[in-house]
Amino acid sequence: MSSLSLTSEVFANEYDEAIQENLNKIEETENKVHNLEGTINSLQVDVQNTEAELNTINNDIEANEERINEAVARLEAAHEKMEALQAEVAELEVIIEKRSEQLENQARKIHVDGQTANYIEFILDAESLTDVFGRIDVVSNLVGSNRKLVEAQIRDQQAVIEKQEETEETIVQQNALAAELEGISEELEQQRLEKEVLVAQLASERATAEADRERFLSEKAEAEKAVVELVAAREEAAQAAREAEERRRAEAEAEVSISSSQTSDSNETASVSVAQSSSTESATETTSQEAPASSQEASSSNQAEQPAKETSKPKPDLKPTPAPSSGGVTWGQISSYANGVLGTPYLYGGSTTNAFDCSGFTSYVFRQAGVNLPRSAAGQYASAQKVSNPRPGDLVFFSENGSRVSHVGIYVGNGQFIGAQTSTGVAYTQVNSNYWGRRFVGYGRY
């Protein structure tokens, strides 16, 4: 019996170590999943912000392209104006050239012919004062015409110079504006390429984080499955050990009882022998005729006592005594229903095998065992029998920031519970993990 007890304890320790190792792995992977979810959410925010910046850059590029198109249009108009002005200048230059020839001819004629003297003689040859004034007017008109011709020549030359300068300045300005807009366009295009590269990089990092999360979730699911199998195996081994120990105890008790009975028979036989010897000696001293009768009485007495001794031997009871029931739903009653929906996705308000929320899951599992629970986690906590020493099958409750109860699961032992989590669906996790430990409220029994 001591050897059996030691062996059972060794087996239990081995199971406990394996279970604890898997529970540690579950907690580790759960923490990694929570961290990766934070990373994924952060990357998603970065992607959204970068895409918003990329949209702004694209809008700036479109606006800048419109400005470039406007500048190009103005530059083309300036070039057209320059071409028209150049045609006009060419015409003015022809006119100026003709005027110049005319003025040069007149100047040369006046210089050579002495036309100024001719003008004076023309005036002096007048016949009357009225004729003098008339001839002066004629000379004045001739001189004035020459003066106007010179002024027109100067004015046209100046206009040509101003128009050329104005048009050239316009072309220079438009060229400078076009160059500036082209520079802005190149800079915006570079910014867009950088943002596109950043978006691609963030998307790649998010995909990697999501792949890691799925891998850790898979490892967590495998560890949870291993825990369930180890717990079941440990329970089967413990049950087998208890049954073997009870059978050995019953056999040992039977052997002790048989040994005690045999010892008693030996003592009684010895007593009868002593009595027969005394009776025989007494009979011999009195008369030899009474000896046969005494021997017959002793023999018949011995024969009469022997069946009585045989019927008094106890029969061993090999049936184990069942453990008394302490009331409430046990994990053994509901484990198959809970494990049957392991991995079912989370959905707020879900209460079917397609999807569960936390209270929908517990209500479904307990309903399979014939127990109807309130629909909400707070309602289940309010109507449950509060217990401080939980056992597998009790409910465990949590709350956010000390407010009303907002989450519930089924305690399965070893500090572990199964429930419908938002990130994993129906899965096993630790009551005292970094996440749930801060939100723990208490246990309840139905």
Side-chain angles (χ1 to χ4, degrees), residues 164-211:
Q164 285 180 334
E165 291 178 351
E166 179 183 355
T167 305
E168 289 175 355
E169 184 179 357
T170 300
I171 292 174
V172 170
Q173 291 176 351
Q174 294 304 315
N175 281 331
L177 178 59
E180 179 182 356
L181 294 175
E182 285 293 336
I184 294 174
S185 179
E186 292 178 359
E187 181 179 351
L188 290 174
E189 187 66 26
Q190 181 65 28
Q191 292 179 8
R192 180 173 66 178
L193 291 175
E194 291 175 355
K195 294 300 180 183
E196 288 177 348
V197 170
L198 181 57
V199 168
Q201 181 180 354
L202 291 173
S204 176
E205 292 178 2
R206 184 178 64 181
T208 301
E210 289 175 348

Side-chain angles (χ1 to χ4, degrees), residues 25 168 191 258 346:
K25 186 174 183 180
E168 289 175 355
Q191 292 179 8
I258 292 171
Y346 180 90

